[in-house]
Amino acid sequence: MTTRSIKVENRLGLHARPSALLVRTATKYRSDFFIEHWGERVNGKSIMGVMMLAAEYGSELLLIANGADETYLLDEVTELFKSKFNED
Amino acid sequence: MKEITVREFFNARKKDLALSLITELETLNKKITSPYVNRPGLALSGYLEVFSAGRIQIFGETEVRYLQTLRDDVLFSRIKDLFMMDVPCIIISKGLSLPPVIEHLANDMQVAILSSRLSTVHLVQHLIRYLQDVFALEKTIHATLVDVFGLGILLTGKSGIGKSECALDLVHRGHSLVGDDLITLKFIDDHLIGRSGREFGHFMEIRGVGFVNVEKMFGIERVRRSKTIDLQIELMPWQENLDYERIGLSNTYAEHMGVKIPIIYLPVSPGKSVSVIVEVAAMNMILKNVGYDAAEDFNRRVQEEIRKKSMLKKSVEIQPGTNDNPIDKG
């Protein structure tokens, strides 16, 4: 299991579009993937779960991946956050 | 360009348009080449520079009364000029009668004269509806067409994916079948109208059972002759890494003869009740049509929550002397 903490850097936070991108990216991998926000943990491959986090700009998230390709998954997901989901 | 003979037209519409043939049977051989009709008013006064010859010519009360005012020799030459333009046929409305000279001339020049008991307005409306249908662009595709809650849903996908089974399930749940396997799409009035590609009745092939007659089995109320297509659902085998729509904010369309139809790609896997999902997709579309979009609504609520949190954070940050941010602690 690998964990990584990350900051939401796009202004609008994790609304529909970034969430969809995040879920779509994570779904490509076989590892289980979870996101924690304020102690709440959701399945990172479920669009409903990710959107319900309503993670705002500047908030800290903990990404948790578990499986054979966990680091690849986290790398690509981290990249998405860093690129602000191509939004700002 | 499509065309039909006057005979085909006469035989098909005789009853609905209350038509009778005034001229001899041999006059029925000309071809109709236009989906429109023409009132030849001005042409009868001798002006033929602009004239839609390929169309059915309608003689209403205006034309008939005008012709009655003409001297015999003038009448003869005007009608001859008109027939020289190679008009397919003439239909007289309201059962009005024409001077006998016209009938003789029509027989000589092989132009059919039909008489209808309908009023001119009704006649023209009927004709346009019929001709539009006859001359419409059309194509036949491999699909199943069902009516779900009043929406025409075209089910597509590879052979054996379960289109017929899904349709059967929908019929069983109270919806109706338009056609299975072979569907003819017609482009009419900016819409796509689908109907069964064959006039054999509402049969279906269900694997393992064979042919079933849906009309006999479920009753006449569960079948439709034709239906405007509102939504296409493409059934496809579940693929691990394919991008299926997850939210419903982006709209994808399929195009048939220039008409854009919203399309849903629906992954099918064992144990999944496709017909229920088709029903849900139909209801969701009806809600969208009346102005409620669930995806937008949900996203709006999430954005509202995000905004609230951001505001709260800001207000905490600007309070003097509070280094200890309760939110960041989580």
Side-chain angles (χ1 to χ4, degrees):
Chain A
M1 190 178 81
T2 313
T3 62
R4 213 173 277 178
S5 101
I6 193 116
K7 210 170 193 160
V8 178
E9 289 182 55
N10 59 316
R11 294 257 149 212
L12 294 173
L14 289 187
H15 62 99
R17 209 194 62 88
S19 302
L21 203 55
L22 179 62
V23 167
R24 201 176 301 153
T25 305
T27 313
K28 292 194 296 186
Y29 297 92
R30 304 185 74 94
S31 300
D32 292 331
F33 176 51
F34 300 95
I35 305 175
E36 256 185 45
H37 178 47
W38 289 10
E40 209 171 5
R41 177 188 280 217
V42 299
N43 187 335
K45 293 183 177 184
S46 145
I47 184 76
M48 195 86 156
V50 174
M51 279 179 78
M52 292 224 264
L53 285 178
E56 78 284 11
Y57 170 67
S59 56
E60 294 269 353
L61 303 179
L62 188 65
L63 309 178
I64 304 143
N66 190 12
D69 50 10
E70 56 190 39
T71 49
Y72 298 105
L73 186 157
L74 289 179
D75 285 348
E76 199 178 339
V77 167
T78 307
E79 199 48 51
L80 276 180
F81 278 94
K82 292 264 185 273
S83 68
K84 302 179 182 178
F85 298 93
N86 308 315
E87 272 199 344
D88 295 339
Chain B
M1 187 69 196
K2 230 172 146 163
E3 51 179 41
I4 54 164
T5 64
V6 177
R7 176 169 283 113
E8 284 170 312
F9 158 71
F10 180 62
N11 288 334
R13 294 330 270 178
K14 204 159 29 182
K15 223 168 155 188
D16 293 351
L17 296 176
L19 288 177
S20 52
L21 179 64
I22 307 269
T23 46
E24 291 156 3
L25 271 173
E26 296 80 69
T27 56
L28 288 173
N29 293 328
K30 285 213 158 55
K31 283 173 176 134
I32 303 166
T33 56
S34 164
Y36 304 104
V37 297
N38 191 44
R39 293 285 301 270
L42 213 45
L44 295 176
S45 75
Y47 179 74
L48 288 162
E49 311 262 312
V50 182
F51 179 65
S52 312
R55 302 180 183 180
I56 293 177
Q57 306 293 318
I58 309 287
F59 281 29
E61 202 161 6
T62 321
E63 283 81 4
V64 173
R65 293 275 284 273
Y66 173 71
L67 291 173
Q68 282 165 358
T69 68
L70 297 180
R71 275 203 338 258
D72 275 2
D73 55 333
V74 181
L75 178 64
F76 185 84
S77 76
R78 296 272 170 83
I79 295 295
K80 195 175 166 195
D81 288 346
L82 186 76
F83 287 172
M84 295 277 275
M85 302 293 285
D86 211 24
V87 297
C89 69
I90 284 167
I91 305 179
I92 311 157
S93 62
K94 289 186 186 169
L96 296 164
S97 51
L98 288 177
V101 59
I102 299 180
E103 195 183 315
H104 293 306
L105 202 55
N107 278 326
D108 285 349
M109 295 180 76
Q110 298 285 298
V111 178
I113 297 181
L114 307 168
S115 172
S116 166
R117 285 206 302 275
L118 299 187
S119 72
T120 317
V121 172
H122 276 125
L123 178 65
V124 170
Q125 279 176 346
H126 272 260
L127 279 174
I128 288 178
R129 216 177 304 139
Y130 166 74
L131 292 170
Q132 269 204 339
D133 189 72
V134 169
F135 284 90
L137 275 179
E138 64 171 71
K139 72 171 182 182
T140 298
I141 60 168
H142 178 57
T144 297
L145 181 55
V146 283
D147 173 332
V148 179
F149 299 124
L151 288 188
I153 298 186
L154 192 65
L155 300 168
T156 52
K158 287 203 196 83
S159 219
I161 192 80
K163 297 184 290 295
S164 304
E165 288 75 6
C166 175
L168 187 65
D169 209 10
L170 286 165
V171 169
H172 194 77
R173 299 169 77 89
H175 305 289
S176 19
L177 176 77
V178 183
D180 185 39
D181 209 53
L182 215 53
I183 299 294
T184 300
L185 303 177
K186 279 197 175 192
F187 176 65
I188 295 174
D189 275 345
D190 288 335
H191 292 292
L192 278 186
I193 315 280
R195 66 178 64 154
S196 177
R198 298 282 179 274
E199 299 280 326
F200 291 161
H202 293 84
F203 286 90
M204 255 183 163
E205 188 227 327
I206 300 297
R207 271 159 229 227
V209 178
F211 284 112
V212 297
N213 184 335
V214 174
E215 193 184 318
K216 279 258 188 289
M217 202 174 271
F218 296 94
I220 190 76
E221 66 196 325
R222 301 288 170 79
V223 294
R224 299 262 180 286
R225 275 179 64 83
S226 71
K227 183 78 197 150
T228 306
I229 288 156
D230 301 291
L231 175 66
Q232 180 174 348
I233 297 183
E234 168 101 10
L235 306 180
M236 52 205 304
W238 176 268
Q239 279 166 276
E240 192 78 25
N241 286 325
L242 211 77
D243 260 348
Y244 297 108
E245 182 58 47
R246 300 288 295 263
I247 300 179
L249 277 175
S250 58
N251 295 312
T252 39
Y253 296 92
E255 214 178 296
H256 300 282
M257 294 178 287
V259 187
K260 280 182 161 181
I261 301 292
I263 185 169
I264 290 174
Y265 295 95
L266 195 63
V268 175
S269 51
K272 210 171 212 176
S273 176
V274 182
S275 54
V276 174
I277 300 172
V278 171
E279 273 185 339
V280 166
M283 290 190 280
N284 210 30
M285 183 159 191
I286 292 169
L287 281 175
K288 271 191 198 173
N289 289 346
V290 298
Y292 176 79
D293 187 322
E296 261 171 28
D297 186 20
F298 188 75
N299 193 30
R300 200 163 37 238
R301 287 170 200 233
V302 168
Q303 281 174 322
E304 180 63 20
E305 177 77 12
I306 292 174
R307 210 176 51 83
K308 265 193 230 150
K309 281 189 193 166
S310 302
M311 300 265 280
L312 188 64
K313 205 172 203 171
K314 261 188 209 140
S315 71
V316 171
E317 274 166 5
I318 53 172
Q319 269 180 28
T322 42
N323 294 333
D324 199 21
N325 191 334
I327 291 166
D328 281 353
K329 265 181 169 175

